[in-house]
Amino acid sequence: MSELREQVPEVPLDWYFEHLLPPLPAGIDTEEIVNSLKESGVITNNRWAAIVEHPRLDKRHEDDIYAGLEEIFKDIIDAGKTQNSDLEQQFALKLTPGVEATSERDSTIKPDGHFTSLEEAARLERAGEKPSVYNVWDSHEFKKDNEGVTHAMDKCVSQLVYDMQQIMALDPCRRFAFGTSIMNRSFRLWFCCRGAFLTAKPFDFMSEPEKLVHVFISLAFASRTDAGWDPSMACILPASPTGKRQYKIQVGDKAYITTKMLSNNAATSPIGRATRVWLVRDEDGPSDSRYVLKDVWVDSERQTEDEIRSALLKDVEEKCGSDARAIVEKHLLTPVAFEKLHIGAIVDDTTQLIMRGGSIPKTLDHLKLIVLQQSGLSTRSQVSNTENPVDAVFSGTRARYFRYGDTARCSPRATSRFHYRIVFLECATTMYDEKHLGNVLGALTDVTEALRWIHKSHWVHRDISGGNVYWYNCKAKVLNGENRGLLGDLEFAKVRTPSATHEVRTGTFNFMASEVIAGRYLVRFTSNSDLEDPAQIIGTGSIDNLPPFAFNPLHDMESIWWILVYLLYFKDDKQNVADADLADTRAVKALKLFNQEGQTLDRQQFLQNSDELTVERTCLPLSFKFVIAIARAFAAKLHAGYRKFEANLTLVDERPFEIHDYLVKALGLGRDNPQVNSIELVGVTRPQKRKIDDAESCYNGDTSNKKKARQAFPMH
């Protein structure tokens, strides 16, 4: 609920029918169907005969009250087929209240009803069978109370949003999802895709039967694509009950078969980029071929990753020469296939295709969803690891209306995103998962060398993290080439240009530079304090005269430094594992640096006071002493770079950042040190680690629009 900014736009029902609901089949007249149902007695006295007139007055359980919906659905479909005998039904309505849907990962959704394929509906007729999350669509939740009954509305809404979130998170084949909540006689439709989460104005399904006929006919005869499934991705069911689902994924004219999920944490949010990454093999290539496939929804105004990579390399060559280009290219992931996905001839886009070109009306009511924290539970899914997320049920919401024009709300909008896939040649290991400290230093050294030329070409990366810096071990995979560090995720890379406004902040929180988190320059005033003559301080100008804050190469380099610090705190030397007390002390120190509570000052002071980076003050293992010294030297050089740069800020500033050579040499000392190379890293497990993981968040907007983490994908 928090990620939806605690409110959902409520669109007119006609708009929902026009832009979201699958279109009615040809030859269908809903008014005629209603008349035929009245003649047959399915509708009597202006209500459906199979359901009591006012469910809220019935003493029976809601499961029993709404059981007649299946019968109503069948009668409507039969009437529709009478109108058009060529219609081919695709989906059926099944009621399964209280039955938990199954999936390969932990999920607790128990939809009261849902649409599913005819084959799946037939299976569910058998005793003891449970629905599968992968076959559930248009999840239904029922409550016999009116929407105005707060506790019932809270429960109904939270259950339904949770159902939809889980479907989008667990099934990579879903491009969007539908939902339905029925409270007493109020029938409310819901919808979510990677660009928007919406609900429609409810209607009285008893007194307005034609609208219910429209909904059921549209859903029953929809194609799988109109129902939200991705036609370019097919599931390969496991051969045994203990096997894992695989997927055949089309990229251009090639098909790839997944062999392992590397990351899908970012897909847990119902809206957003939903980055998923798999280890795959070429369907037509050798059985032992290995590639990495990334599936993501990209903001429509952005370039694709392959386009950004090409433009970056071109600029490096033009400004720094072919040798520099070769160095940068050597330390970037190599794409072998990529495309904007199309459905037919149209790009798979959240607004132009999925929402059929509809823009959300500007004058809307919003259903306000107030999150109620109870029993210490979180309202969002908690991911314990990349294989088995532990999803906490929404702890409760309070639903009420904010009317159009209410200044207390900040209206959510539909974001236009297109569906994009890219396949990389290198199957490498992220810094999160690298087991050897020497390789970590080697990767950071190589990436810093690549950044030297990227920065000289006036580009910045803007999202360096532990999840997109890799160690590529060619020799272990018996491949040609040399072991090396690689830099990935170029989606936010850009050319530095003068701007009259502050930049939108991007990055992964744990590795963002302090200034980027704060959205302002922080070191400038430290530099001014060194000036002895007051006239000099006055002459430097005021805050009002500062140029707008902009991302610069030092911020990328600070992210490299935070990767090193992060790993030192959250990894142990396998031969010298810290005892519990020392681990807890380290955790307390780490929580001051790696959290999402706005601790910019703590991070800045930690960087600035590099003299305090000692074994005693950090409580890090003694065997990390040499690397701590490297981190200390790195911090001192980086802070000096900030002081020099920010002493004389200008709007157009192309001064070189001459710190890369020093940092490459410093990191290289660790890579070449036999003692460092002998250290094998193991993870540190402690209660506080969960809070650190929760703090990992990706910013791509102002402070009122913090987006969920683009979690790092571990490449093995």
Side-chain angles (χ1 to χ4, degrees):
M1 297 297 186
S2 297
E3 289 161 7
L4 298 177
R5 288 200 258 177
E6 301 180 9
Q7 56 188 316
V8 179
E10 189 182 55
V11 299
L13 186 63
D14 289 346
W15 189 94
Y16 188 103
F17 281 2
E18 180 181 357
H19 295 287
L20 303 178
L21 197 67
L24 277 173
I28 290 295
D29 187 321
T30 56
E31 185 177 355
E32 285 187 11
I33 291 177
V34 169
N35 290 334
S36 68
L37 294 174
K38 288 179 178 179
E39 291 174 2
S40 64
V42 175
I43 299 175
T44 59
N45 299 322
N46 203 34
R47 71 173 182 83
W48 299 98
I51 297 180
V52 296
E53 184 173 5
H54 297 289
R56 65 184 175 83
L57 302 178
D58 196 308
K59 293 183 179 180
R60 293 179 298 162
H61 192 274
E62 58 212 21
D63 296 347
D64 299 319
I65 294 172
Y66 293 106
L69 277 174
E70 273 195 35
E71 180 183 341
I72 292 171
F73 170 79
K74 291 176 182 177
D75 290 333
I76 290 174
I77 300 311
D78 288 342
K81 290 178 179 178
T82 300
Q83 273 194 0
N84 184 349
S85 59
D86 294 331
L87 287 180
E88 187 174 344
Q89 184 181 349
Q90 301 295 326
F91 299 99
L93 175 64
K94 290 301 297 179
L95 303 187
T96 54
V99 181
E100 188 170 297
T102 62
S103 72
E104 287 184 354
R105 296 161 55 198
D106 291 345
S107 173
T108 57
I109 72 169
K110 298 178 181 179
D112 292 332
H114 60 93
F115 277 81
T116 190
S117 68
L118 298 183
E119 296 79 9
E120 179 73 358
R123 182 182 70 81
L124 294 175
E125 293 288 346
R126 301 195 294 266
E129 295 287 350
K130 295 183 178 182
S132 165
V133 167
Y134 306 103
N135 292 314
V136 169
W137 78 284
D138 190 36
S139 177
H140 286 51
E141 294 292 346
F142 308 141
K143 294 289 180 288
K144 66 180 182 179
D145 290 310
N146 286 323
E147 283 196 352
V149 179
T150 301
H151 69 87
M153 182 66 169
D154 291 348
K155 189 172 183 180
C156 188
V157 169
S158 61
Q159 287 174 335
L160 185 65
V161 173
Y162 179 68
D163 290 352
M164 296 171 71
Q165 178 266 334
Q166 286 286 279
I167 289 168
M168 294 288 281
L170 297 177
D171 188 356
C173 294
R174 304 301 180 96
R175 298 159 52 238
F176 51 88
F178 294 95
T180 298
S181 60
I182 304 178
M183 299 192 66
N184 191 23
R185 297 162 54 125
S186 178
F187 195 102
R188 180 184 287 276
L189 295 165
W190 299 73
F191 175 85
C192 76
C193 65
R194 295 304 179 181
F197 203 111
L198 308 170
T199 185
K201 286 280 188 183
F203 65 91
D204 186 333
F205 78 99
M206 285 289 205
S207 64
E208 300 176 278
E210 190 175 333
K211 293 177 179 176
L212 183 64
V213 169
H214 187 139
V215 172
F216 279 178
I217 291 286
S218 294
L219 299 179
F221 297 101
S223 68
R224 281 182 63 84
T225 301
D226 285 341
W229 273 274
D230 185 345
S232 65
M233 181 182 293
C235 176
I236 303 172
L237 294 175
S240 67
T242 58
K244 293 289 186 180
R245 295 164 68 92
Q246 292 178 283
Y247 297 92
K248 178 180 176 180
I249 305 175
Q250 201 74 27
V251 185
D253 58 356
K254 278 187 169 293
Y256 296 88
I257 307 299
T258 63
T259 58
K260 184 177 183 179
M261 172 63 78
L262 299 180
S263 174
N264 60 1
N265 296 344
T268 59
S269 178
I271 54 177
R273 292 166 56 82
T275 305
R276 288 186 171 98
V277 184
W278 287 273
L279 186 65
V280 298
R281 63 176 176 84
D282 186 339
E283 182 185 38
D284 298 325
S287 59
D288 61 349
S289 63
R290 292 292 182 270
Y291 301 93
V292 172
L293 186 153
K294 179 161 70 170
D295 182 281
V296 62
W297 290 82
V298 181
D299 287 14
S300 292
E301 71 274 9
R302 293 190 177 277
Q303 292 181 296
T304 61
E305 190 164 358
D306 63 280
E307 291 171 339
I308 295 171
R309 183 181 184 275
S310 295
L312 168 62
L313 290 173
K314 180 181 178 182
D315 272 4
V316 170
E317 184 167 12
E318 288 179 354
K319 296 171 182 175
C320 303
S322 57
D323 289 345
R325 176 192 169 111
I327 291 171
V328 173
E329 193 166 14
K330 176 181 175 181
H331 297 298
L332 294 180
L333 293 172
T334 308
V336 296
F338 43 81
E339 73 165 334
K340 287 185 179 180
L341 270 72
H342 288 67
I343 304 293
I346 305 174
V347 173
D348 192 11
D349 178 274
T350 57
T351 54
Q352 295 306 309
L353 182 70
I354 292 176
M355 296 171 64
R356 302 202 282 273
S359 58
I360 298 178
K362 294 181 180 179
T363 55
L364 288 180
D365 292 338
H366 284 67
L367 191 65
K368 181 67 178 176
L369 310 172
I370 301 178
V371 179
L372 302 179
Q373 298 288 349
Q374 299 173 353
S375 305
L377 292 178
S378 169
T379 56
R380 51 173 223 168
S381 300
Q382 303 299 317
V383 181
S384 57
N385 58 59
T386 58
E387 295 294 332
N388 185 28
V390 180
D391 298 301
V393 179
F394 288 109
S395 57
T397 63
R398 175 63 47 79
R400 64 184 176 89
Y401 284 105
F402 266 0
R403 293 294 175 186
Y404 156 65
D406 191 329
T407 57
R409 64 172 173 80
C410 177
S411 300
R413 296 174 296 173
T415 301
S416 182
R417 293 190 172 96
F418 62 84
H419 201 177
Y420 175 72
R421 287 191 186 127
I422 186 167
V423 180
F424 294 109
L425 174 66
E426 298 90 358
C427 176
T429 306
T430 68
M431 293 298 93
Y432 289 122
D433 298 302
E434 177 52 49
K435 303 300 183 185
H436 298 280
L437 186 55
N439 291 344
V440 168
L441 273 295
L444 297 182
T445 302
D446 290 345
V447 168
T448 299
E449 176 62 26
L451 286 171
R452 179 211 302 266
W453 303 107
I454 290 172
H455 292 157
K456 280 181 178 291
S457 303
H458 302 153
W459 281 70
V460 282
H461 186 282
R462 301 199 304 159
D463 186 24
I464 293 172
S465 73
N468 55 32
V469 174
Y470 315 97
W471 180 249
Y472 185 41
N473 194 333
C474 298
K475 306 307 179 187
K477 297 174 172 55
V478 196
L479 299 172
N480 294 326
E482 61 181 273
N483 297 348
R484 61 190 184 276
L486 296 171
L487 178 62
D489 287 3
L490 297 176
E491 294 101 322
F492 295 104
K494 61 173 286 187
V495 177
R496 295 179 62 220
T497 56
S499 174
T501 59
H502 288 255
E503 285 187 355
V504 171
R505 291 179 293 167
T506 64
T508 304
F509 185 88
N510 283 340
F511 310 101
M512 289 170 68
S514 303
E515 292 189 340
V516 177
I517 295 174
R520 59 189 176 89
Y521 297 108
L522 299 174
V523 183
R524 172 179 173 80
F525 305 105
T526 305
S527 303
N528 288 343
S529 66
D530 296 336
L531 302 176
E532 297 181 0
D533 186 348
Q536 290 179 287
I537 299 177
I538 296 171
T540 61
S542 66
I543 292 177
D544 294 334
N545 294 327
L546 286 177
F549 177 77
F551 199 104
N552 67 55
L554 294 171
H555 300 136
D556 274 344
M557 300 315 302
E558 186 175 336
S559 293
I560 295 289
W561 185 75
W562 282 116
I563 292 174
L564 182 58
V565 173
Y566 184 96
L567 294 177
L568 290 176
Y569 269 105
F570 296 115
K571 298 287 185 180
D572 262 331
D573 180 349
K574 186 176 182 179
Q575 301 302 318
N576 298 279
V577 176
D579 61 34
D581 290 340
L582 183 59
D584 285 342
T585 302
R586 285 165 59 184
V588 171
K589 291 179 178 292
L591 277 171
K592 293 184 66 179
L593 302 173
F594 301 103
N595 67 73
Q596 204 173 332
E597 303 300 324
Q599 301 296 331
T600 307
L601 183 61
D602 288 322
R603 289 170 70 94
Q604 185 203 5
Q605 289 181 342
F606 187 74
L607 171 65
Q608 181 176 333
N609 299 326
S610 56
D611 289 345
E612 296 189 9
L613 287 175
T614 63
V615 169
E616 295 75 21
R617 290 185 178 273
T618 60
C619 296
L620 293 170
L622 185 62
S623 58
F624 284 179
K625 185 175 182 179
F626 190 85
V627 182
I628 294 171
I630 292 172
R632 183 166 60 246
F634 194 130
K637 189 66 174 180
L638 185 59
H639 186 63
Y642 276 124
R643 287 165 60 91
K644 180 179 178 181
F645 175 69
E646 296 184 17
N648 295 287
L649 285 169
T650 60
L651 181 61
V652 181
D653 202 322
E654 296 185 358
R655 287 174 288 161
F657 294 80
E658 301 294 350
I659 66 171
H660 299 79
D661 185 59
Y662 179 93
L663 299 181
V664 166
K665 290 178 179 177
L667 293 167
L669 290 173
R671 176 187 57 188
D672 299 332
N673 184 283
Q675 184 268 329
V676 172
N677 275 286
S678 69
I679 296 177
E680 185 176 351
L681 300 173
V682 292
V684 176
T685 302
R686 48 184 174 271
Q688 293 92 334
K689 182 63 168 65
R690 174 68 261 154
K691 298 179 183 178
I692 301 299
D693 293 342
D694 289 344
E696 184 135 316
S697 181
C698 179
Y699 288 77
N700 182 20
D702 57 37
T703 53
S704 66
N705 188 23
K706 297 177 182 177
K707 296 194 176 180
K708 191 173 180 181
R710 289 195 303 118
Q711 299 286 350
F713 52 85
M715 294 186 176
H716 300 288

